[in-house]
Amino acid sequence: MSEAGDALAAQYEAYPYPARDPADEARRLVTGSPSRLEEIDHYLFAGARDWSRPFRALVAGGGTGDATIMLAQQLADAGVPGEVVYLDRSAAARGIAEARVAARGLTNVRFVSGSLLEAAELAPGPYDYVDCCGVLHHLEDPAAGLKALSAVLGEDGGLGVMVYAPYGRSGVYELQAALGQLGRDLPLAERIALAHRLLAGLPTTNRFARNPLLGDHRRGDAELVDLLLNPIDRAFTVPEFAGLVDEAGLTIASFVEPLRYEPRLYLADESLRRRCDGLAPLEQAALAERLAGNLKTHVAYLARRPGTVARLDSPDWVPLLIEIDAGQLAASLERKGSIGGTVEGLDITLPVPPLAAALAAGIDGRRSFGEIVAALRAERGGAERDWVQAAQALTAALGGLNKLLLRRPASS
Ligand SMILES: C[S@@+](CC[C@H](N)C(=O)[O-])C[C@H]1O[C@@H](n2cnc3c(N)ncnc32)[C@H](O)[C@@H]1O
């Protein structure tokens, strides 16, 4: 391994990432994207995976265990047979992840130590799913890393990845370089102290100081080290990320949240909107990233071939709300007539038809849109076409924010 590679390994040994206390498992489950089972189903299995079949997942560069535990807990809760294989080079990170798994009493996790570059030998596939978050951008050869993971993926399997994106990290790279100039020769603990001193007195014009999206370093030393003192750290634009994915023989099934990769979100002028409609999907995503300026990471699902994402093309689809209460959503839609919020500093307002409020109230994770509409029409009347249109608008808006996902009913 190179000097930088050795330094990276030593860093995650001294500062396992992210900082986690196994005692916290008693009070909360850390969740997020990628790797929610509903997302895996929606983005990689067209909403139709048979979850009575065993599910094998690899978490490559598992760190202190967030994705491993989320996956294993979800599988256990849903009674899905299978296993989650954790793979990481850091013994310290593994120790914390093991303690968290033990605290939850999970029995469906297997721990493996070593490099993901040797996944085929250390933790052979085939896997239905591979999670690799915040790791590829710390490898000397990210393409070799993704290829190694693609090699252990089953024919119908997919990956959930997260890599850094440059524009939302504005200020990070020159601060990393400045810290290198000031303290490259010092041991890590002293470089942390030096970084605190530098951060406390940065000029107000400094791009890091001016970037409101960057706050990880305030959470603790492990986070500060990961953000500012990492010996190997690169960010990928959309075209660079697409190149990496292509080199591994994979395709981008979807970015998450998908809406953030649509340039129309950032264009008010109708003639500009029409011009971007002519661009290929990946070009649109690249343009969206350039316009938005607030993407710090790319979270994406990757598959071997296109067509793995669920689409609302019939009334049979069961809508699932992710971390939103149907009643509260309906009340808010009733009041505002739109879905809105702030996504990493950007205020978003997505108008939906008035019927969407009643539809939202009917979402219970079991009934299909067809069943919800039939019940609402029996109660309130209205043309079927209008209800279908409202379902489509609600799905486009909430789905774009990754808050509504689709699942085929178990029997179809
Ligand atoms: C930033 S942490 C991310 C941890 C976890 N995936 C998460 O999102 O919370 C990066 C992890 O990748 C691990 N790592 C780095 N290079 C690796 C390699 N070649 N093989 C396996 N793990 C690696 C590090 O030890 C560290 O635990």
Side-chain angles (χ1 to χ4, degrees):
M1 220 188 307
S2 70
E3 206 179 303
D6 286 341
L8 184 95
Q11 174 201 306
Y12 286 117
E13 221 39 72
Y15 293 94
Y17 184 93
R20 294 283 182 241
D21 179 353
D24 289 337
E25 296 313 310
R27 58 167 190 86
R28 58 97 182 91
L29 176 68
V30 177
T31 58
S33 297
S35 298
R36 279 197 188 89
L37 284 196
E38 297 96 330
E39 289 180 20
I40 293 170
D41 201 13
H42 175 102
Y43 292 113
L44 292 174
F45 292 93
R49 187 175 193 278
D50 175 2
W51 291 96
S52 66
R53 283 178 39 233
F55 184 77
R56 281 196 87 215
L58 172 70
V59 182
T64 49
D66 283 1
T68 302
I69 286 160
M70 177 173 74
L71 272 166
Q73 187 68 63
Q74 292 174 112
L75 292 171
D77 290 348
V80 178
E83 68 168 351
V84 181
V85 178
Y86 165 107
L87 175 64
D88 201 292
R89 280 191 320 186
S90 164
R94 171 177 168 167
I96 294 169
E98 279 178 318
R100 293 175 72 188
V101 164
R104 287 184 170 273
L106 290 165
T107 56
N108 54 355
V109 180
R110 191 155 61 82
F111 284 90
V112 179
S113 291
S115 173
L116 63 82
L117 294 167
E118 290 158 38
E121 296 79 48
L122 299 173
Y127 291 97
D128 299 288
Y129 178 69
V130 176
D131 169 292
C132 187
C133 285
V135 184
L136 293 172
H137 49 233
H138 294 312
L139 300 183
E140 281 165 295
D141 186 349
L146 192 54
K147 275 186 209 161
L149 298 181
S150 172
V152 294
L153 201 61
E155 205 34 50
D156 298 322
L159 286 111
V161 302
M162 183 277 272
V163 295
Y164 290 149
Y167 307 133
R169 284 168 67 80
S170 159
V172 167
Y173 292 100
E174 61 262 42
L175 202 59
Q176 285 184 359
L179 285 164
Q181 286 180 287
L182 291 168
R184 190 173 287 114
D185 53 320
L186 300 173
L188 190 51
E190 285 178 47
R191 285 164 56 214
I192 293 172
L194 186 146
H196 281 299
R197 286 201 299 281
L198 185 67
L199 284 167
L202 279 177
T204 52
T205 48
N206 177 275
R207 286 205 305 168
F208 186 90
R210 291 168 67 95
N211 186 343
L213 304 173
L214 300 169
D216 268 12
H217 56 295
R218 290 191 209 100
R219 296 212 315 262
D221 283 350
E223 287 73 15
L224 182 142
V225 166
D226 197 57
L227 183 69
L228 292 174
L229 297 171
N230 215 307
I232 305 176
D233 172 339
R234 63 161 295 193
F236 293 83
T237 60
V238 164
E240 287 166 348
F241 178 62
L244 183 75
V245 172
D246 191 50
E247 237 187 287
L250 298 165
T251 172
I252 301 172
S254 180
F255 286 106
V256 176
E257 302 85 1
L259 187 71
R260 297 181 72 190
Y261 291 83
E262 289 181 19
R264 279 181 155 262
L265 183 65
Y266 312 107
L267 294 169
D269 183 290
E270 199 42 54
S271 66
L272 294 179
R273 286 172 148 226
R274 276 198 302 276
R275 287 192 75 81
C276 77
D277 286 346
L279 299 173
L282 212 50
E283 279 292 314
Q284 295 207 15
L287 175 61
E289 178 186 33
R290 290 171 188 138
L291 295 176
N294 67 347
L295 285 157
K296 285 190 298 188
T297 62
H298 298 301
V299 172
Y301 284 98
L302 313 178
R304 291 210 183 283
R305 57 189 79 79
T308 62
V309 183
R311 305 236 173 263
L312 185 58
D313 51 9
S314 90
D316 295 338
W317 289 101
V318 177
L320 307 172
L321 290 177
I322 305 301
E323 291 182 345
I324 311 185
D325 175 77
Q328 282 176 9
L329 172 66
S332 152
L333 290 177
E334 196 76 62
R335 223 175 34 251
K336 298 197 270 190
S338 64
I339 288 157
T342 305
V343 181
E344 281 196 299
L346 182 73
D347 289 333
I348 291 176
T349 306
L350 307 165
V352 290
L355 294 180
L359 273 175
I363 297 178
D364 60 7
R366 285 179 293 105
R367 288 187 301 169
S368 67
F369 263 130
E371 289 167 324
I372 298 170
V373 166
L376 284 166
R377 285 189 69 211
E379 194 187 305
R380 305 171 45 151
E384 181 162 6
R385 196 189 51 236
D386 295 339
W387 285 105
V388 169
Q389 225 172 40
Q392 278 162 346
L394 189 67
T395 303
L398 279 178
L401 296 170
N402 197 43
K403 294 290 180 199
L404 186 151
L405 300 171
L406 298 170
R407 180 167 59 72
R408 285 268 180 216
S411 54
S412 71

